[in-house]
Amino acid sequence: MKTLYRQSIGFLLILLLVAGISPLQAQDQPVRDDENPDFITISGVVKDKNNKKRLEYVNISIPGSTSGTITNEDGEFSFKIKDASHVKAVEISHIGYYNNKVEVSGINLSDLTVWMTPYENMLDEIIIHAQEPRYLVEQAVSKIPANYSKKTNMLTGFYRETAQKGKRYINISEAVIDIYKTPYNEASDRDRVQVYKGRKLLSQKRTDTLAVKLLGGPNMSIFCDIVKNPDVLLDKECLPYYLFKMEESTNIDNRPQYVISFKPQVIMPYALYYGKLYIDKERLSFTRAEFNLSMDDRNKATQAILKKKPFGLRFRPLEVAYLVNYKDRDGVTYLNYIRNGVRFKCDWKRKLFSTNYTIISETVVTDGREENVTTIPYKMAFKESQSLSDKVENFMDEDFWGAYNIIEPTESLESAVNKLKKQQK
């Protein structure tokens, strides 16, 4: 039986502090050989061909390679390609759509509009519904060692974390990170994350005295990799806690997918989850997971995510949502993208009104390698007790990211960055 501690910690811890503005702390950065390579940039927007709507979290990648990024919430992307002379096309893929490609000619391409055609679901009729959904999940779990990387990987990722008070941004932190992952037939306890370079913007307003921090933020790529870290959702001892149901199938990366929803069917001393699992029909590999922390018992949900708060502050969680994507490459499935969103209310005793807060964190894997991989030393690894905004420096250089791929900021985020920069002057 899993220990209560392992089950109750969830994937994140929020720290609420009454404090002034944190002092600026710069982090020593290692020197890397790929600091300023030549590259071209492909940028544009991805839209649904039928309804013309912009599509968020669409995967942008070079076929057969580890390089990629995603679209932002506005459907926009900017993809930097190194060694562009060897790249013929960029592939665009998204759940429920057929893949599309953009030809690359070795020069910058901007203001592109990429149209995605919705997947026409041709159900396998009775065959799909004859499958017992929990059995399919168990089969997919048993195939994890065969379907996922058997080698140690060093992934490069981009991590962004934002905190909003109402609709106003009070903290924007982002970083290029290294993610050391051991083979998927091993536990995740030796996996580590290191911040290569990062930056932050914090609100300077005197009314923003409540510091909202996500502890261990960049480590989301370890905690939320539910295939490598199955303690909450995919551990076989936990599966009986949930009721599974077969939903209408879909398509990811031009491959048909089982879609299996799940919800709690027992009451435990800690909060459980509900959501959907996507499983490749042919390989039985997990390709996507969408899940939320159950709010049936607010006290349990609070215990799962809140690390510390000031005396007299009342905390009410509203939503804790996760999205985890994986991508197939040459018959092996790799971690691709993780997003977490937390909404909660805070108010002080004897005060009439409460304040809404939202924390969004996301990591996209932009590159990786399996050769000549060495572990990240413990002293260099980002700790679960650390907050990214305490470890990086302020926004200064406009060309801070150089050739590294990032998630393009949305229009609202760019506006917030400009406002916070003005506060610092």
Side-chain angles (χ1 to χ4, degrees):
M1 181 65 66
K2 293 289 176 182
T3 64
L4 177 59
Y5 172 74
R6 291 294 297 277
Q7 285 288 352
S8 64
I9 59 173
F11 291 141
L12 64 132
L13 292 171
I14 298 171
L15 183 68
L16 303 177
L17 297 172
V18 176
I21 302 302
S22 300
L24 180 64
Q25 297 185 34
Q27 188 174 22
D28 293 334
Q29 310 296 350
V31 177
R32 291 163 68 135
D33 294 334
D34 56 354
E35 183 71 24
N36 290 300
D38 292 331
F39 62 91
I40 65 169
T41 302
I42 311 296
S43 61
V45 62
V46 180
K47 295 182 178 182
D48 184 298
K49 187 176 181 179
N50 290 350
N51 60 26
K52 316 305 181 191
K53 290 184 178 180
R54 298 182 175 213
L55 299 176
E56 58 185 14
Y57 317 136
V58 177
N59 190 65
I60 315 292
S61 64
I62 299 171
S65 82
T66 58
S67 298
T69 187
I70 61 164
T71 62
N72 62 20
E73 290 181 339
D74 296 335
E76 299 169 342
F77 70 93
S78 178
F79 185 31
K80 299 169 185 175
I81 304 174
K82 306 169 188 175
D83 300 321
S85 60
H86 299 94
V87 178
K88 296 182 178 180
V90 169
E91 189 168 51
I92 297 90
S93 61
H94 192 45
I95 179 174
Y97 291 84
Y98 292 104
N99 288 9
N100 198 353
K101 286 188 177 181
V102 173
E103 292 186 0
V104 176
S105 57
I107 60 174
N108 294 334
L109 296 174
S110 60
D111 300 323
L112 296 175
T113 299
V114 180
W115 299 102
M116 300 292 285
T117 302
Y119 171 63
E120 296 175 1
N121 191 5
M122 304 298 290
L123 290 176
D124 291 343
E125 292 132 2
I126 300 174
I127 298 176
I128 289 181
H129 298 285
Q131 296 279 7
E132 208 286 316
R134 179 173 155 188
Y135 174 76
L136 280 174
V137 174
E138 291 173 346
Q139 288 293 102
V141 170
S142 68
K143 287 182 173 290
I144 288 174
N147 283 330
Y148 298 81
S149 181
K150 302 177 181 65
K151 299 180 179 180
T152 299
N153 281 255
M154 183 66 79
L155 308 177
T156 299
F158 176 75
Y159 173 82
R160 177 180 287 138
E161 173 186 312
T162 63
Q164 291 175 264
K165 180 180 180 182
K167 294 184 178 181
R168 184 167 54 82
Y169 287 89
I170 59 174
N171 186 345
I172 302 169
S173 303
E174 48 191 27
V176 170
I177 60 176
D178 291 323
I179 308 165
Y180 174 81
K181 278 195 174 291
T182 54
Y184 272 72
N185 58 2
E186 299 181 12
S188 61
D189 53 358
R190 293 197 299 118
D191 294 2
R192 291 174 181 168
V193 170
Q194 178 181 0
V195 172
Y196 167 60
K197 64 186 303 186
R199 60 184 187 176
K200 68 179 178 186
L201 277 173
L202 302 178
S203 172
Q204 305 291 311
K205 288 193 173 183
R206 294 185 179 276
T207 54
D208 294 332
T209 55
L210 184 64
V212 181
K213 298 183 179 181
L214 187 63
L215 299 185
N219 286 322
M220 297 290 284
S221 55
I222 298 175
F223 301 149
C224 289
D225 183 352
I226 63 168
V227 174
K228 187 79 190 293
N229 182 32
D231 286 343
V232 174
L233 288 181
L234 299 182
D235 190 280
K236 289 186 177 181
E237 293 183 11
C238 301
L239 296 184
Y241 302 163
Y242 296 95
L243 177 65
F244 294 90
K245 178 183 176 183
M246 192 72 72
E247 304 290 347
E248 184 176 340
S249 60
T250 190
N251 174 78
I252 298 177
D253 223 2
N254 286 351
R255 298 179 64 87
Q257 308 284 320
Y258 293 116
V259 182
I260 300 174
S261 63
F262 61 92
K263 63 181 180 180
Q265 64 175 353
V266 298
I267 297 176
M268 301 298 289
Y270 42 82
L272 296 176
Y273 297 86
Y274 64 91
K276 291 181 180 179
L277 298 171
Y278 296 75
I279 300 175
D280 186 286
K281 288 185 179 181
E282 179 183 352
R283 300 181 62 239
L284 290 185
S285 57
F286 294 100
T287 53
R288 181 180 174 98
E290 306 163 355
F291 55 105
N292 290 56
L293 188 69
S294 173
M295 293 292 156
D296 290 345
D297 187 319
R298 303 279 178 174
N299 290 330
K300 292 179 184 178
T302 298
Q303 291 171 6
I305 65 173
L306 184 62
K307 175 69 173 178
K308 184 179 180 181
K309 69 178 181 66
F311 179 77
L313 182 72
R314 291 181 292 198
F315 176 91
R316 178 179 172 82
L318 301 176
E319 181 184 41
V320 182
Y322 301 90
L323 169 62
V324 185
N325 279 343
Y326 298 87
K327 186 170 178 60
D328 180 84
R329 188 173 72 249
D330 298 328
V332 180
T333 306
Y334 297 87
L335 181 68
N336 175 244
Y337 176 69
I338 291 174
R339 178 182 172 86
N340 166 243
V342 186
R343 294 190 302 111
F344 57 93
K345 285 187 176 183
C346 286
D347 66 85
W348 297 93
K349 292 180 180 179
R350 300 179 182 176
K351 285 197 174 182
L352 184 60
F353 299 105
S354 60
T355 303
N356 289 334
Y357 289 87
T358 303
I359 300 176
I360 301 293
S361 66
E362 53 186 339
T363 301
V364 60
V365 175
T366 59
D367 214 336
R369 70 178 193 275
E370 294 180 330
E371 306 300 330
N372 302 318
V373 174
T374 57
T375 186
I376 296 173
Y378 177 79
K379 66 178 181 179
M380 301 295 292
F382 200 89
K383 308 300 189 297
E384 297 178 26
S385 60
Q386 293 176 332
S387 171
L388 181 62
S389 61
D390 290 336
K391 300 294 292 182
V392 295
E393 57 192 21
N394 279 355
F395 279 48
M396 298 294 287
D397 183 6
E398 294 294 333
D399 298 318
F400 186 78
W401 299 121
Y404 288 100
N405 276 304
I406 68 169
I407 303 171
E408 274 294 283
T410 61
E411 184 177 346
S412 62
L413 186 60
E414 283 190 307
S415 175
V417 167
N418 291 331
K419 289 179 180 179
L420 289 174
K421 281 183 176 179
K422 289 179 181 179
Q423 290 181 16
Q424 294 180 340
K425 294 179 180 179

